[in-house]
Amino acid sequence: MANSSSGMQGNGYNEPEHIKRYADFTTIDWVQDSIIERNRRIRKSRTRYHTHRGHDGRGMLIWIWAQFKKLADAGQSWFIVSLVGACIGVNAALISIVTEWLSDIKMGYCADGWWLNQQFCCWEIEGDDALCDSWHPWSNVTAARWTIYIIFASAFSFIAAHLVKSLAKYAAGSGISEVKCILAGFVMKDFLGFSTWIIKSITLPLVIASGLSVGKEGPSVHVACCTGYVMARLFRQFSRSQGKMREILTASSAAGVAVAFGAPIGGVLFSIEEMTSNFSIKTMWRSFFCALVATVTLSAMNPYRSGKLVLFQVTYDRDWHFFEILFFIILGIFGGLYGAFVVKFNMQWSAFRRKHLSNYPVVEAVTLATLTAVVGYWNRFLRIDMTESMAILFRECDSGGDYDHLCQTSFQWTMATSLFVATVIRIGFVVISYGCKVPAGIFVPSMAIGATFGRMIGIMVKALYLAFPKSGMFAVCQPDVQCITPGTYAFLGAAAALSGVMRITVTVVVIMFELTGALTYILPTMIVLLVTKAVGDFLGTTGIADEAIRLNGYPYLDKDDHAYNVAVSSVMKTNLYTVSATEELLKATQVKGFPIVSSGSNPILVGFIDRIDLRHVIDKVRLIHDLTLDTPCSFVRDSEDQEGFEFADIVTDPGMGLDEDTLMEIIENTATQSVVKFWPWVNQTPLTVSPELPLEIVVQLFKRMGPRVVLIEDHGALVGLVTVKDVLHFTLAEGHEPRSAWNPKDFEGFVEEAWTWITNFMTSLTSRARRLIRR
């Protein structure tokens, strides 16, 4: 098999620069993993059967014990799912509590207990917390409060960025793009490790409290998957099966979204719509159960002491009117435009960051946090935490929603201006903050932007109603009942912005329903999101997670089907390292696997063996037998091997799912002979296709079945092979890129030009200053 890191150019095209790092990743062969797991189940069931048959004297006791073991094995998966869900819920509650305290400590402290945030410190005081005597601001002087606010923000960002850089580099960013690649079958070593889990859990509250325009909901998916991976690795059943581990990770991602939004069903739909394209019914049930356990655990811990799972959970009592659909459409258009703008310019900024700022991650994070604090302090909606801001903007005015005169008519235009400024400034900070080297999500920042814009539209519609109450458009409004609820516009604007940047629809509808519990607003939410999707489709926008995958060069086949209009023979590699069925010399190469052919002159395909399995067997044999380059090797099973081992119903495949004792028995028999036999590890039924098969069909095979490699044979003769990397090479080649995908060179456009202009201007300005000084 051609090595993904060897740079072989079987088809004459050069390897794109931004995907050369594909060699850093290992591909999981899901077909092989499924066969091995099947063989393990068959062997285990046969062992139980023979154990029962061999102890007839014990009768019922043996039968009961066998049934108990069977039940325990069946229930182990559900136990682990429950354990993972409970741990995710506890972790999410702790992160929420610490985040609230750190966010409030920037403004002041509680005299009754330094560990209490403002809400708990003033728990018995209803209404404005400013009347609470227990909560003490750091100073009564505005300039001093502003300075302390900036110092805390800078310190939090510095600690978080330094910990990430020093202890766990994979804790940076959202993590959703990488988790999508892992669920697709690409192994990223240490990305889900214990250190990443701990550091991201510690630094996430610091980052949110620093005021950076990033959210914790995206990283909570990564933290949840780390939790599932670390817990499942403790059990052998999951540590040795990549397929079972993928089920746990999929369930964990659903639980991560569930605790982030208090929406277990929305979490499951997020896993289906965004995270994985291979979603079985069994995985769906386990994902739902894991999300449910995580949500129940979070609810039991009650981190906000309000019975709510998230701060921005709200309930609406009023109905909406049909004339408001016009304004809902405006919100949908904003969501589509916002998503296209942020995705485009954030990718450009990410390319700029990689080129110019990659060596200064701590400086960048501290600078962004300081700049955000300096600017945001003077806007009432930028100064407070984003989740708290959404909780305020979502509320109805007669249920405690009059924050800083937000609901008073005399201040409506002042509030509308403040909301517009907050929207514009937050968009700019999201573009340059998302992707910096700290835990950073984009869910809540986008929702906060949509909420400020939506509330602004709601205030304007309410002002229009108050100015023209007798207009025909408002004829359905009753005189003594409030007609316009600005909080619902904030709610719908948040949904539109989230859908626009992530390019998900059904999941957002369900999440918003679970946040409100109001069936009344299902139809407006659907209308807004359909308009958002239509605008995004018209602009050719893809989700920011998919664009990040493309920019970072992660090996991932997106879900959309593309018509390549070529046969697989145009993509396959033809310069192959093959091994004859009775090879007597195993040469050292760097390839990842070897097709087995009958002979070099007659390349009839016999099977396929992975390099990892070859290395495993050679290392085992060396422990009991001396090996040289002249030691002969055999890759087919002869009659003697057939007599020594009976494998009825067992598919011959790498490792065959046998236990270590059986494998060592085969290896020991090999050591007593003159030939090293690799036949137990040879896949005799590799996935093969014809050279004339359309490439899009092969892409579907990769996405739905998940093989590591597809061999190309013509009438039984091996003529080439194709891997996921080969498809990605071809996709990114000139003229074969998907219609909706942007060229990676576009990512370096506007931001790079602006940087060049600024540097030239500063150089010119410095030169003039020096000339003036000399004079």
Side-chain angles (χ1 to χ4, degrees), residues 174-181 218 221 270 274-275 443 502 545:
S174 172
I176 288 182
S177 301
E178 291 83 354
V179 171
K180 287 182 67 172
C181 294
V221 175
F270 178 81
E274 178 67 12
M275 299 304 294
F443 283 24
M502 291 299 297

Side-chain angles (χ1 to χ4, degrees), residues 78 81 268 279-290:
W78 292 101
V81 167
V268 176
F279 208 93
S280 65
I281 297 298
K282 181 176 67 173
T283 304
M284 183 185 71
W285 279 113
R286 289 180 178 171
S287 299
F288 175 74
F289 187 73
C290 186

Side-chain angles (χ1 to χ4, degrees), residues 386-405:
M386 284 181 288
T387 55
E388 184 180 352
S389 173
M390 282 193 292
I392 293 169
L393 295 173
F394 285 176
R395 292 178 195 163
E396 295 178 346
C397 286
D398 54 2
S399 59
D402 190 17
Y403 168 78
D404 201 6
H405 311 299

Side-chain angles (χ1 to χ4, degrees), residues 544-586:
I544 195 167
D546 293 326
E547 289 299 333
I549 289 173
R550 217 173 267 123
L551 176 67
N552 292 323
Y554 295 144
Y556 181 78
L557 294 174
D558 54 28
K559 296 180 182 180
D560 295 332
D561 297 332
H562 306 294
Y564 300 98
N565 299 320
V566 296
V568 68
S569 57
S570 301
V571 182
M572 70 181 183
K573 281 188 171 68
T574 55
N575 296 336
L576 306 180
Y577 290 104
T578 60
V579 179
S580 299
T582 58
E583 186 69 55
E584 294 187 356
L585 181 63
L586 183 61

Side-chain angles (χ1 to χ4, degrees), residues 8 347 368 423 426:
M8 294 178 60
M347 290 299 103
L368 287 174
T423 301
R426 181 89 71 188

